[in-house]
Amino acid sequence: MDRIKLPIIICGEIVETAKDYHVFRYGNSVELTIPKINSKHINKIREQRFMLNNHNVQEIISALVKVGRFWRTETQNRIYLSAVDTLCRVKGYDSKMAIRELNIIGSTCAQIAGLYDLLDLELGNRFYIDEWLPRGDVFVHAQPMGNALNIVAGNVPVSSIMSIIRCLLTKNQAIAKFSQKDPVTLIYFAQSLNYLLPENIVTKNLSVLYWEGGDEIEQSVYDMSDVVCAWGRGSSINEIRSKIGAHTRFLEFGPKVSYALIGKESIDDMQVAIDLAHDISLYNQQACFSPQVVFVEGKTDLFVKRLEQALSLYNDLLPIGSRDIDTEFDIMRVKKMAQFEGLKIQCGDNNGWMIISIDRVERIYESPLNRVIYVMSIKSFDECLDYVSPSTQVLSISPWDRNKEIREEATLKGVSKITEIGLIESVRNGATHDDIYPMHEMVRWVCVERGKDYWGKFIEDGPLDTTKWLMQNRNQIEKISLVM
Amino acid sequence: MFTENKEREQIKKSYEEYNRLLDGVDKTKEIMQAFKYHYENNEAYKKYCKVHGVSPEIIMNKNDIRLIPLIPSDAFKRNSIVSCKSNEKMVECTSSGTKGSISTVYRDHDTLNYFIFSCLWNIKHLLTDEDFEIMCLLPQISDDNSKHLWMAYVGYMLGGFYESYYLINNNRLDVDLATSILKDACYKRKKIAIFGSPSIVVGLAQYIEQKGEKIDGKDKIFILTAGGWKNDLNAMTREQFNNSIKDAFNLNSVSQIRDSFNMVELNSIVTECEVHTKHILPYMEVNALDPANLEPYEDGQPGVLSFIDPMARSFPCFILSDDIGVVKKNYKCQCGRTSDIMIYIRRFERSEDRGCALKMNYSIKKGDE
């Protein structure tokens, strides 16, 4: 048995020992042990509320940039090497996928301008977080909510980091509950902060921990949270929602499905097929933005041929890593179902990828994800709109210039994002996430009005005197009653 | 189907033939014959076999059995898989739908007979030769209908051979009647079996304990469970289940508690002996498969369970289940019997249970209807 021990992080401090431990098992061969949290840990976190508020956001960005640079460049550091190794052992990643992920995490944090842009674009102006800005006739400021609890999903490691970056940039204390599926990313990120900047205020405002659903400590964490960001499947999100108080803001990033749309111009385009293979292969298709069905305008045969080659290429570029028994079987049973029902199937070696051609959506049995893609012919580009709904996160398209044909109706029907095939993962500056700007929701928008000596746009002669207005109006009221 | 005396006589005769068959059964021959029959009589299955490049001519000996294409159990949720002529009278046997959708398996008279024979054989060889009553924690069904919840139909069929009571009415278990029947049986020193799913047996046991009822089971009460260990048992281990049931019914030994494995797609049961080992009938081929390529694992390695039951005539019982377990061939059990055995581990975990990407399933409609 391959045994791994990881710590939890409480207010930046690494906690390796506890009275009791969680034990997670991965397949038959990997066992991971994590200390259990207790009420002392919770109390320590509780005391830190609003600590970041007295600091300028440039200090927060400075710390994030340093940790981002670490993950981009310190590839021989023991923390980096251990992170790669543990990601592979726990998540079954091939080392290429693990390294790629750490690069993305590093890039997400390392770009100073990018972090400022994020604030500008999500809040409207990055100075709201530090200052009181005039807006209309008032002064507006973005106050942190306080304690931001992030319950992350674990299928896309960088999304866990994104979630805590949003908290920290909005000056909230970031409390992150990791998923059993990925205890690695957040713990190592927090460890790198502790290693690089042990006394930094950002380090001290990050806690990474775990509890089992129903644990008596759970409610105390929910009770001290001012905002909860929950990622995951529907049942998990519903359960979390039922436990948080009325005063707690709840941001949910629930389960979604995504599609790809190939216009007739792109059917014979090998680059498009390669780009689609990229989108399918990322995270072994387990992200919300991973396409599960490809709608092809016209006959599918030629495009399927291109896609077969592209998916084979991606098996080398981004190998699937190891699969557990459940994943292997999930893929196999979908294959057997498709074969029994007479569907056309193309498979890679060892079911490394699979293309199942269907003539209508009712033929879809299940999607085991893991690079299994359904391909369906449609007569016209906009026919795909029959299948989108508020559960659809991303509609990726090629050729790109045709996005205007459907963007209005697709988003009206529920699609959150339209992007070009090949770019499902890139989050451009200004992109929304599941129909919101999350950071906008992680602050309290407060204002200070102007005083009486400010006349504003509607008063000709000041200063403002509400009693005088009443007296003036009384004459008018008396006149009206005399007339009656 | 079993109410006429003449029919009972015929069934008894068939059962005697079944017993003779089992005494010296040639499993490979039975399976090869069954495969040929279904290949020739089931178009859908034949097409499926052609996709795999397998036909009866390919299956020549014991080593070729592993080439027989297995039907995923979920195929019975979406397709009518029948190897008989359409005008034959059949019973629609349905699953309980705990995973959301329902499987339907069509069984003709012979197929049903073989199923009940497997029950009788298991009872006789693994449980007791004596006569006993059965208290079914199941609804009584009417055989005017042709469609039945499989487990309820099993209870109904057992009623053709044992004095049986059916204690669920309008979805409620008549716990008072159950208690009264048990007390009466114990008083009269009659053997009685309680048959139901583990969760409902636990429910009855809890009721008895809460009410302070004294049931003096000793060696007279057997507990026969089937239908799987569902989530509503709150992660109770088998040992905890055994002990709580033994205490509630005052049994002499936990060996009186026997679980059976069955699925609606399977035409035989796999029942426990007195040391709780699940023994496989001599004509069944059960394997634990490597999920990557469906090759049988060596003894003892956990894999996806597959079942080949050549005694089903109305449908090809060559099943790739959703369950994970271990199979041991020619296992010398502590009970003294030697047979293939299986150890059930768990249901496999679908990706929708593991991730946050919303999975589509066959029921996706246009938009979010």
Side-chain angles (χ1 to χ4, degrees):
Chain A
M1 180 69 73
D2 180 6
R3 293 182 207 279
I4 305 171
K5 276 187 182 171
L6 288 179
I8 53 173
I9 316 292
I10 304 294
C11 302
E13 282 180 23
I14 297 174
V15 175
E16 289 175 313
T17 55
K19 274 192 190 152
D20 208 352
Y21 294 83
H22 296 286
V23 179
F24 307 141
R25 288 198 174 84
Y26 301 93
N28 289 332
S29 55
V30 179
E31 186 179 276
L32 191 146
T33 313
I34 302 250
K36 281 190 181 180
I37 57 170
N38 57 43
S39 52
K40 274 196 188 145
H41 297 142
I42 303 302
N43 289 339
K44 186 169 181 182
I45 296 172
R46 193 181 278 120
E47 284 161 16
Q48 301 251 136
R49 191 173 179 238
F50 295 133
M51 263 184 78
L52 270 175
N53 193 45
N54 295 329
H55 295 263
N56 194 288
V57 80
Q58 62 199 6
E59 295 172 59
I60 299 170
I61 289 177
S62 167
L64 289 173
V65 162
K66 288 177 176 65
V67 83
R69 195 180 303 128
F70 172 87
W71 289 103
R72 287 290 318 264
T73 60
E74 297 291 329
T75 57
Q76 298 308 305
N77 184 287
R78 60 171 178 84
I79 295 177
Y80 182 95
L81 293 168
S82 179
V84 172
D85 180 55
T86 313
L87 267 175
C88 294
R89 285 150 82 195
V90 168
K91 281 190 74 65
Y93 277 178
D94 178 85
S95 60
K96 281 186 188 176
M97 203 178 281
I99 289 169
R100 182 187 177 278
E101 197 61 16
L102 296 178
N103 275 343
I104 290 175
I105 288 169
S107 297
T108 301
C109 302
Q111 300 185 33
I112 302 179
L115 294 173
Y116 278 112
D117 285 345
L118 198 58
L119 277 166
D120 269 331
L121 291 161
E122 293 213 11
L123 299 186
N125 187 313
R126 66 184 182 270
F127 290 102
Y128 277 125
I129 200 74
D130 286 322
E131 299 175 15
W132 295 82
L133 299 185
R135 187 176 180 143
D137 288 343
V138 305
F139 294 91
V140 173
H141 177 46
Q143 291 284 29
M145 297 290 296
N147 289 333
L149 174 62
N150 301 264
I151 301 176
V152 298
N155 54 337
V156 178
V158 68
S159 66
S160 313
I161 303 303
M162 197 62 229
S163 203
I164 60 169
I165 286 175
R166 287 171 177 160
C167 300
L168 294 168
L169 286 177
T170 49
K171 298 190 181 180
N172 289 294
Q173 176 173 210
I175 307 159
K177 181 196 176 197
F178 55 79
S179 161
Q180 270 194 52
K181 305 302 169 194
D182 178 17
V184 182
T185 306
L186 281 167
I187 290 174
Y188 274 91
F189 186 85
Q191 283 192 104
S192 67
L193 265 172
N194 177 281
Y195 168 75
L196 293 166
L197 304 162
E199 298 305 318
N200 191 283
I201 192 66
V202 170
T203 308
K204 291 180 179 183
N205 271 269
L206 175 59
S207 297
V208 178
L209 37 78
Y210 182 83
W211 66 83
E212 288 192 355
D215 192 312
E216 58 187 14
I217 210 120
E218 181 177 46
Q219 195 57 52
S220 55
V221 182
Y222 288 132
D223 289 345
M224 75 166 170
S225 300
D226 299 289
V227 58
V228 174
C229 304
W231 305 63
R233 53 192 166 147
S235 56
S236 307
I237 287 182
N238 287 340
E239 201 176 315
I240 294 164
R241 192 190 286 118
S242 71
K243 290 178 180 173
I244 62 173
H247 68 280
T248 306
R249 199 170 288 176
F250 186 61
L251 307 183
E252 55 178 275
F253 303 106
K256 299 280 186 181
V257 68
S258 295
Y259 304 134
L261 175 59
I262 307 286
K264 55 185 181 296
E265 302 88 339
S266 297
I267 283 177
D268 196 14
D269 190 332
M270 190 64 211
Q271 185 59 51
V272 173
I274 288 172
D275 286 342
L276 181 60
H278 163 271
D279 292 350
I280 292 166
S281 304
L282 276 185
Y283 305 110
N284 289 325
Q285 208 184 11
Q286 292 184 32
C288 292
F289 52 62
S290 304
Q292 294 186 33
V293 180
V294 182
F295 297 103
V296 177
E297 188 187 31
K299 287 191 176 162
T300 58
D301 294 354
L302 183 54
F303 185 74
V304 166
K305 271 202 181 70
R306 300 275 175 261
L307 190 56
E308 281 179 61
Q309 293 171 284
L311 285 168
S312 296
L313 170 68
Y314 258 87
N315 262 13
D316 287 329
L317 284 178
L318 209 57
I320 56 175
S322 63
R323 286 174 173 164
D324 60 25
I325 189 174
D326 295 286
T327 304
E328 288 283 14
F329 183 57
D330 211 358
I331 297 166
M332 178 59 79
R333 60 193 265 285
V334 166
K335 182 179 179 182
K336 291 295 151 193
M337 283 293 291
Q339 285 174 331
F340 189 81
E341 295 185 353
L343 299 178
K344 215 161 139 196
I345 304 173
Q346 279 79 20
C347 295
D349 294 337
N350 301 316
N351 297 330
W353 52 263
M354 199 179 301
I355 303 171
I356 303 176
S357 298
I358 54 173
D359 54 355
R360 55 188 196 280
V361 290
E362 289 79 8
R363 302 281 254 160
I364 295 172
Y365 163 54
E366 279 182 11
S367 173
L369 310 175
N370 291 288
R371 309 194 194 190
V372 174
I373 190 82
Y374 287 92
V375 177
M376 182 170 129
S377 169
I378 51 176
K379 290 197 181 70
S380 61
F381 208 60
D382 59 359
E383 197 182 313
C384 77
L385 297 177
D386 290 344
Y387 306 102
V388 305
S389 71
S391 301
T392 314
Q393 189 185 66
V394 176
L395 184 61
S396 53
I397 291 173
S398 178
W400 181 238
D401 58 7
R402 292 185 72 181
N403 78 82
K404 290 174 189 161
E405 287 176 38
I406 55 164
R407 67 184 185 186
E408 182 62 27
E409 204 177 334
T411 52
L412 196 62
K413 290 187 108 179
V415 171
S416 286
K417 187 162 103 163
I418 295 178
T419 189
E420 188 169 6
I421 287 177
L423 296 181
I424 50 155
E425 186 197 22
S426 74
V427 179
R428 300 279 198 173
N429 276 354
T432 56
H433 183 187
D434 285 358
D435 309 335
I436 61 172
Y437 283 119
M439 286 165 65
H440 193 276
E441 307 298 316
M442 293 173 83
V443 295
R444 291 175 48 245
W445 291 98
V446 298
C447 69
V448 171
E449 303 230 4
R450 290 182 186 269
K452 291 179 184 177
D453 57 342
Y454 177 73
W455 300 355
K457 290 183 180 178
F458 305 104
I459 305 300
E460 190 176 320
D461 293 307
L464 272 61
D465 187 335
T466 43
T467 302
K468 187 175 161 187
W469 293 339
L470 193 61
M471 288 167 70
Q472 283 171 341
N473 284 340
R474 194 170 65 183
N475 287 337
Q476 288 176 318
I477 291 166
E478 281 169 356
K479 278 178 189 165
I480 289 168
S481 56
L482 277 173
V483 166
M484 282 176 69
Chain B
M1 289 177 96
F2 302 97
T3 50
E4 300 289 339
N5 276 337
K6 193 173 167 192
E7 200 165 319
R8 279 179 195 254
E9 283 307 313
Q10 274 176 331
I11 288 164
K12 273 196 177 136
K13 253 187 171 174
S14 300
Y15 180 52
E16 280 156 21
E17 280 170 29
Y18 175 87
N19 271 309
R20 280 194 292 276
L21 168 72
L22 256 62
D23 271 339
V25 69
D26 181 340
K27 178 162 75 171
T28 303
K29 181 181 156 205
E30 294 296 330
I31 291 174
M32 284 169 61
Q33 281 177 352
F35 176 65
K36 184 170 189 291
Y37 172 81
H38 290 292
Y39 184 91
E40 288 170 357
N41 288 281
N42 190 312
E43 268 311 304
Y45 186 63
K46 186 175 185 176
K47 279 185 190 160
Y48 184 57
C49 290
K50 283 185 173 177
V51 166
H52 290 80
V54 176
S55 62
E57 295 73 40
I58 306 279
I59 311 297
M60 305 286 285
N61 55 52
K62 183 178 164 183
N63 293 330
D64 298 333
I65 300 290
R66 65 182 180 80
L67 299 173
I68 292 177
L70 299 166
I71 303 172
S73 56
D74 277 5
F76 291 87
K77 290 182 165 68
R78 287 158 58 95
N79 304 279
S80 294
I81 306 175
V82 183
S83 301
C84 295
K85 296 182 183 32
S86 57
N87 58 357
E88 287 195 41
K89 185 180 175 187
M90 284 195 272
V91 175
E92 278 180 64
C93 310
T94 66
S95 63
S96 58
T98 46
K99 282 287 178 184
S101 43
I102 290 174
S103 289
T104 303
V105 175
Y106 295 87
R107 285 181 164 87
D108 64 356
H109 191 281
D110 286 345
T111 305
L112 282 167
N113 278 352
Y114 279 121
F115 175 81
I116 196 64
F117 294 163
S118 80
C119 296
L120 299 177
W121 194 93
N122 273 293
I123 288 171
K124 181 183 170 187
H125 286 84
L126 295 173
L127 188 66
T128 179
D129 216 348
E130 297 174 43
D131 196 16
F132 58 90
E133 294 178 346
I134 304 183
M135 189 170 79
C136 297
L137 306 184
L138 294 161
Q140 178 146 37
I141 64 161
S142 158
D143 68 357
D144 292 339
N145 296 334
S146 62
K147 182 172 180 174
H148 300 289
L149 185 64
W150 177 230
M151 192 158 168
Y153 200 80
V154 171
Y156 162 71
M157 286 195 286
L158 286 171
F161 297 87
Y162 298 95
E163 188 68 42
S164 296
Y165 310 94
Y166 300 92
L167 296 206
I168 290 191
N169 225 333
N170 294 326
N171 291 324
R172 292 196 67 192
L173 176 65
D174 191 336
V175 286
D176 293 325
L177 180 57
T179 313
S180 160
I181 290 170
L182 288 173
K183 279 180 170 173
D184 187 59
C186 294
Y187 175 72
K188 290 175 183 165
R189 307 299 297 149
K190 286 193 299 185
K191 268 196 163 60
I192 185 162
I194 302 173
F195 173 51
S197 68
S199 55
I200 208 166
V201 170
V202 164
L204 177 60
Q206 284 171 346
Y207 174 82
I208 284 168
E209 283 188 327
Q210 276 161 20
K211 287 287 182 183
E213 298 280 6
K214 189 161 163 43
I215 307 287
D216 211 11
K218 293 220 170 29
D219 65 338
K220 293 300 173 197
I221 294 181
F222 284 94
I223 310 292
L224 305 176
T225 57
W229 299 78
K230 308 287 192 295
N231 292 337
D232 56 359
L233 279 178
N234 290 327
M236 194 186 244
T237 65
R238 179 62 195 273
E239 196 182 340
Q240 287 167 335
F241 173 85
N242 287 350
N243 290 332
S244 75
I245 298 303
K246 176 176 174 280
D247 290 344
F249 296 101
N250 276 311
L251 306 179
N252 281 353
S253 163
V254 294
S255 68
Q256 289 159 246
I257 303 167
R258 309 290 182 88
D259 185 56
S260 291
F261 178 85
N262 181 246
M263 11 189 303
V264 69
E265 301 90 350
L266 191 55
N267 208 55
S268 302
I269 60 169
V270 183
T271 302
E272 286 179 348
C273 64
E274 50 269 42
V275 299
H276 300 133
T277 302
K278 285 185 165 73
H279 289 265
I280 296 165
L281 284 162
Y283 55 74
M284 279 177 69
E285 178 71 7
V286 180
N287 284 300
L289 307 178
D290 180 344
N293 55 27
L294 301 186
E295 288 292 327
Y297 275 136
E298 295 296 322
D299 269 15
Q301 186 160 350
V304 179
L305 293 171
S306 70
F307 300 87
I308 294 182
D309 182 343
M311 298 301 172
R313 198 189 77 107
S314 58
F315 69 98
C317 191
F318 309 130
I319 306 298
L320 181 64
S321 77
D322 282 352
D323 299 301
I324 293 174
V326 165
V327 173
K328 297 186 182 185
K329 305 283 186 181
N330 290 318
Y331 178 77
K332 286 191 171 71
C333 183
Q334 271 182 277
C335 69
R337 301 173 184 92
T338 298
S339 73
D340 293 354
I341 63 145
M342 77 172 233
I343 301 165
Y344 180 87
I345 298 175
R346 61 177 172 88
R347 183 65 68 98
F348 105 96
E349 204 182 276
R350 294 164 193 242
S351 68
E352 68 191 347
D353 299 327
R354 289 177 270 143
C356 86
L358 179 67
K359 276 190 57 177
M360 301 171 309
N361 57 29
Y362 72 93
S363 65
I364 182 176
K365 297 180 184 62
K366 289 192 172 185
D368 247 349
E369 291 168 23

